Amino acid sequence: MSKFFEQIKNNWDEITQKMLNDNDEISTAFFDAFIKNPLKLVKYEKNILYIEVPEEGYINILNKRFIPNFLKISISEVLDIPLSNFDISFVVKNNIYSNQAISKEIIEKRLLKLKIDPKNTFQNFVQGESNRMAYGSSIAVAETQAIYNPLIIYGGAGLGKTHLLHAITHHAIEQNENLNIIYITCSEFKTEFYLSIKENKTSELIEKYKNVDYLIIDDIQFLSNAKETQNAFFDIFNSLYCEKKQIILSSDRPPKEIDNLPDRLTSRFSWGLFTDITFPDYETRVAILLKKQEEFNPEYPVDMEVIRYIAQTVKTNIRELEGCLTKIIAGSRLQKKQINLSLAKEMLNNGENDNKRITPENIINTVSETLNVDILDICGKSRKTDFVYSRNISIFLCRELIPDITQEKIGKFFGDRDHSTIIHSCKQIEKDIKTNKNLQEDIKIIKNKLLI
Ligand code: ADP
Ligand code: MG
């Protein structure tokens, strides 16, 4: 047993208790139901602490509440070790794969050869509604060949397709070093074929592809208008499919919309599973930024307020989300200090986002529309339960989504209430949200309407 694992085991009660004490978001009921009793330490291997959960559903629930982040922070503080030294992975009971046999060097060598970014792992991929199906089916094919064949992941630029294809490759290599895997971009695939035609070596090349266990091709929209490559690909596809070898493809649009892709190919694609990735909702964007921050391991961690600001501002794709974070981290390194909200705004402001800013008016409007309560009642003085509920949510969201707003200013929108009533409303929501599922759901819907 490693020393680190032993230390965690011996201090487990203190670690989890500290996590509970330090994070208002975790209620005691949630702690008892999802952390204290069910979580079991399994092993520590290759910088990953494996923790067992009783069933799959727990993993989503724990990730949604950022428990891996909170746990890591708590472990790091109790044992006084850097956060970047280890990661946490939940595994379902009786489903713990063991891969001690394959050395880190072998894996790294193979990833390098396949031009896979080793950071693009399942571990580093944050799940949310926008990618849950793509994520789940990617894990499934990485674990079991040809369970869905082909698997096709499609969605706009910068939403995580390449990350998932890399993660599948990485995971499959870790499972079994003898697997013959090709990961290639469609452009490289095309070039390889044009060269082989020139050199009269096409049949050798096709044979090479027919011998793989996993064929993973990124961005197959580039197969459009490439007749020779399409023919070769068709031949390879049929052979691999019959042999029950796994084919995984990504595309920036549904295959039916790829220009000039012959029907014989699109109809074969429909034998497998199509799954799309869309733009993540606000909560997932925050979780992605926290994950990236952890990966970048900055000297001056970015303030939660700044993280929320980036998640609110960037509404294009995840690559851009990451770009903003990198910019801020670089800025803090240069200035040798933590970047505050106004500096972050200055750094990121390119003028474009001003007209998309969230205001108390559009929060109140959206709450009214979603909960079917009149605006006048939200802003009025009546203590009727429905009105108070909508009012408290509106006040809470004003404070959370408009970072620089004062309590006095919020009060003005709600019948000139003073700051203690504003604080009281926010506290009420913060308390109820821990246990009240309807409230969680309502806030999620309203935020999504405001932030997408
Ligand atoms: P695509 O291939 O769809 O254009 P990428 O896979 O290259 O997009 O993703 C762009 C960036 O966003 C990458 O750095 C990737 O790691 C990151 N990314 C995308 N989705 C997620 C996610 N769910 N969790 C963490 N990082 C993500
Ligand atoms: Mg890509």
Side-chain angles (χ1 to χ4, degrees):
M1 206 188 314
S2 82
K3 192 166 162 248
F4 181 52
F5 187 67
E6 214 161 62
Q7 280 179 323
I8 296 176
K9 244 186 148 164
N10 293 340
N11 293 286
W12 186 237
D13 286 346
E14 188 190 341
I15 289 166
T16 50
Q17 199 57 45
K18 180 172 169 43
M19 179 175 73
L20 173 67
N21 297 342
D22 290 355
N23 296 288
D24 289 346
E25 293 93 317
I26 307 171
S27 68
T28 318
F30 180 87
F31 180 76
D32 286 340
F34 291 101
I35 296 166
K36 189 172 171 217
N37 299 322
L39 298 193
K40 305 256 178 302
L41 291 165
V42 178
K43 61 178 176 179
Y44 180 71
E45 200 176 280
K46 294 186 199 148
N47 294 26
I48 294 176
L49 174 68
Y50 289 88
I51 302 177
E52 187 189 84
V53 293
E55 54 175 285
E56 188 78 36
Y58 278 69
I59 300 181
N60 275 340
I61 294 170
L62 294 166
N63 284 339
K64 254 190 180 165
R65 303 246 179 163
F66 308 131
I67 300 300
N69 280 333
F70 293 151
L71 254 182
K72 274 190 73 175
I73 292 169
S74 197
I75 292 174
S76 137
E77 282 173 5
V78 171
L79 301 183
D80 195 22
I81 50 147
L83 273 178
S84 54
N85 274 22
F86 67 99
D87 235 312
I88 285 179
S89 175
F90 293 121
V91 287
V92 182
K93 203 171 175 183
N94 301 328
N95 194 18
I96 304 154
Y97 62 87
S98 116
N99 50 28
Q100 289 103 323
I102 310 174
S103 81
K104 211 172 159 191
E105 287 90 300
I106 292 181
I107 294 172
E108 275 169 7
K109 252 192 201 157
R110 289 201 61 190
L111 293 177
L112 192 69
K113 204 167 158 210
L114 291 169
K115 296 194 221 136
I116 297 285
D117 181 344
K119 288 201 292 301
N120 284 344
T121 57
F122 285 129
Q123 212 109 43
N124 289 341
F125 192 85
V126 175
Q127 288 178 71
E129 290 308 323
S130 55
N131 59 37
R132 204 176 300 291
M133 170 100 166
Y135 178 83
S137 36
S138 296
I139 292 198
V141 296
E143 295 252 332
T144 316
Q145 252 184 80
I147 185 164
Y148 309 116
N149 212 10
L151 171 67
I152 302 179
I153 302 173
Y154 67 92
L159 295 182
K161 301 180 298 293
T162 299
H163 187 134
L164 280 178
L165 298 195
H166 283 192
I168 295 171
T169 314
H170 198 144
H171 190 87
I173 291 173
E174 277 183 340
Q175 298 269 72
N176 179 354
E177 65 174 310
N178 298 319
L179 284 175
N180 185 355
I181 302 177
I182 291 187
Y183 165 86
I184 192 165
T185 66
C186 191
S187 306
E188 288 166 343
F189 184 70
K190 271 177 13 185
T191 313
E192 216 181 345
F193 268 94
Y194 290 135
L195 290 178
S196 81
I197 293 167
K198 263 194 183 165
E199 292 169 7
N200 232 343
K201 286 187 175 156
T202 314
S203 44
E204 278 115 301
L205 191 62
I206 290 181
E207 263 331 285
K208 174 180 108 176
Y209 278 93
K210 284 184 178 175
N211 272 321
V212 300
D213 297 300
Y214 279 79
L215 175 60
I216 305 175
I217 307 186
D218 207 352
D219 287 322
I220 50 141
Q221 70 272 11
F222 294 124
L223 264 189
S224 130
N225 297 321
K227 236 179 162 106
E228 302 281 0
T229 326
Q230 285 172 6
N231 288 339
F233 178 68
F234 185 70
D235 185 7
I236 295 165
F237 184 104
N238 287 337
S239 165
L240 292 178
Y241 187 88
C242 291
E243 298 281 326
K244 294 202 167 26
K245 303 297 185 188
Q246 181 67 52
I247 302 153
I248 303 159
L249 311 167
S250 83
S251 165
D252 70 353
R253 66 203 80 171
K256 270 203 177 126
E257 290 173 20
I258 301 177
D259 287 340
N260 299 322
L261 205 59
D263 287 347
R264 60 196 171 116
L265 261 180
T266 41
S267 70
R268 266 167 181 71
F269 289 166
S270 61
W271 293 347
L273 180 74
F274 290 87
T275 165
D276 68 337
I277 304 193
T278 54
F279 187 59
D281 60 21
Y282 172 72
E283 301 295 350
T284 312
R285 298 205 290 276
V286 169
I288 291 174
L289 286 166
L290 288 173
K291 189 88 203 170
K292 295 290 167 192
Q293 155 157 270
E294 201 182 293
E295 253 175 62
F296 300 153
N297 191 22
E299 214 174 323
Y300 307 94
V302 182
D303 231 50
M304 200 55 206
E305 210 181 21
V306 175
I307 296 265
R308 285 206 195 97
Y309 173 71
I310 305 175
Q312 282 165 32
T313 315
V314 178
K315 300 194 179 118
T316 39
N317 67 47
I318 299 167
R319 198 170 289 130
E320 173 137 8
L321 204 64
E322 219 176 286
C324 286
L325 183 67
T326 320
K327 213 165 157 183
I328 285 174
I329 290 175
S332 74
R333 201 165 286 149
L334 280 175
Q335 306 198 14
K336 297 201 182 320
K337 64 174 187 204
Q338 198 160 351
I339 300 274
N340 62 24
L341 185 63
S342 62
L343 241 120
K345 281 184 170 177
E346 232 170 77
M347 287 173 71
L348 301 184
N349 196 7
N350 45 17
E352 277 170 30
N353 304 308
D354 284 355
N355 53 358
K356 293 184 198 157
R357 283 185 64 137
I358 293 177
T359 59
E361 286 92 339
N362 54 31
I363 290 178
I364 296 166
N365 265 324
T366 314
V367 171
S368 152
E369 184 189 293
T370 313
L371 302 178
N372 216 358
V373 174
D374 200 287
I375 292 179
L376 291 178
D377 294 324
I378 296 179
C379 300
K381 296 221 182 293
S382 162
R383 304 292 308 157
K384 216 175 136 215
T385 319
D386 280 2
F387 302 162
V388 173
Y389 180 76
S390 312
R391 191 177 302 139
N392 284 348
I393 291 182
S394 306
I395 291 173
F396 170 80
L397 290 177
C398 281
R399 217 187 54 179
E400 185 178 332
L401 301 181
I402 311 176
D404 41 5
I405 198 164
T406 60
Q407 271 140 13
E408 285 69 27
K409 189 153 181 219
I410 300 177
K412 289 232 172 341
F413 285 89
F414 299 90
D416 266 336
R417 284 181 164 76
D418 68 12
H419 74 280
S420 64
T421 0
I422 301 301
I423 293 174
H424 180 262
S425 297
C426 292
K427 284 226 156 103
Q428 190 64 46
I429 295 288
E430 278 159 14
K431 180 169 159 266
D432 295 347
I433 205 168
K434 291 178 183 166
T435 48
N436 183 337
K437 286 229 156 53
N438 291 335
L439 176 64
Q440 288 166 11
E441 194 54 27
D442 284 341
I443 289 189
K444 190 169 154 198
I445 294 169
I446 296 163
K447 271 192 186 170
N448 278 344
K449 283 188 183 170
L450 284 163
L451 293 167
I452 281 200

